[in-house]
Amino acid sequence: VLSLLVVRAPLLSSLNASGCRTLGEVFLGRCAVLRSLNLAQCKALHALRAPAAARLDTLNLFGCRVLPPESLTPLLHTSGAALRQLNMNGCVGTIDLSEATVRRLCPHLVQLDCQGRKAKY
């Protein structure tokens, strides 16, 4: 059971951990060339941290239901200028993070999916 992923891979350009339903925390360190991060359907993901050097251009968080805005906003501050694709569909924990704020932090987005962020009870 994978619940914590710590990545220190200076030459890693793409990481796909999609479908790891028990993955709760991701720490990206020394990943200066990481451009694509896929964490889709990591339903337990509640912490996502990356150093200021992170420059992702693609981030897929589809279905990361419990990820709070406190974990996503710092990453958008560091990678926002480089991000071109962002999938937040189903990230109901980020409902307090407005689409306008995301677009302001990520001015070069060409694809943004932030549907399905409202809880359905």
Side-chain angles (χ1 to χ4, degrees):
V1 174
L2 181 64
S3 62
L4 170 65
L5 179 61
V6 178
V7 182
R8 291 184 186 102
L11 300 178
L12 184 68
S13 63
S14 180
L15 176 62
N16 185 346
S18 64
C20 294
R21 295 181 182 271
T22 59
L23 182 60
E25 300 176 73
V26 174
F27 298 97
L28 303 173
R30 295 187 193 155
C31 295
V33 297
L34 185 65
R35 297 296 177 255
S36 178
L37 180 59
N38 185 349
L39 298 172
Q41 297 295 339
C42 293
K43 299 200 180 283
L45 187 66
H46 63 272
L48 176 57
R49 294 186 183 86
R55 294 289 178 253
L56 296 172
D57 62 34
T58 302
L59 178 58
N60 187 348
L61 299 171
F62 173 80
C64 295
R65 299 184 58 79
V66 297
L67 184 68
E70 299 82 33
S71 283
L72 182 55
T73 303
L75 183 61
L76 295 182
H77 277 284
T78 60
S79 283
L83 266 177
R84 310 240 332 128
Q85 297 179 359
L86 176 59
N87 187 339
M88 299 169 49
N89 190 330
C91 295
V92 296
T94 66
I95 192 65
D96 291 336
L97 183 61
S98 73
E99 183 177 341
T101 299
V102 171
R103 290 192 181 279
R104 182 177 47 77
L105 293 172
C106 309
H108 302 291
L109 282 176
V110 293
Q111 183 179 23
L112 173 62
D113 185 350
C114 57
Q115 297 182 16
R117 294 193 308 144
K118 293 185 178 160
K120 297 174 185 169
Y121 298 104

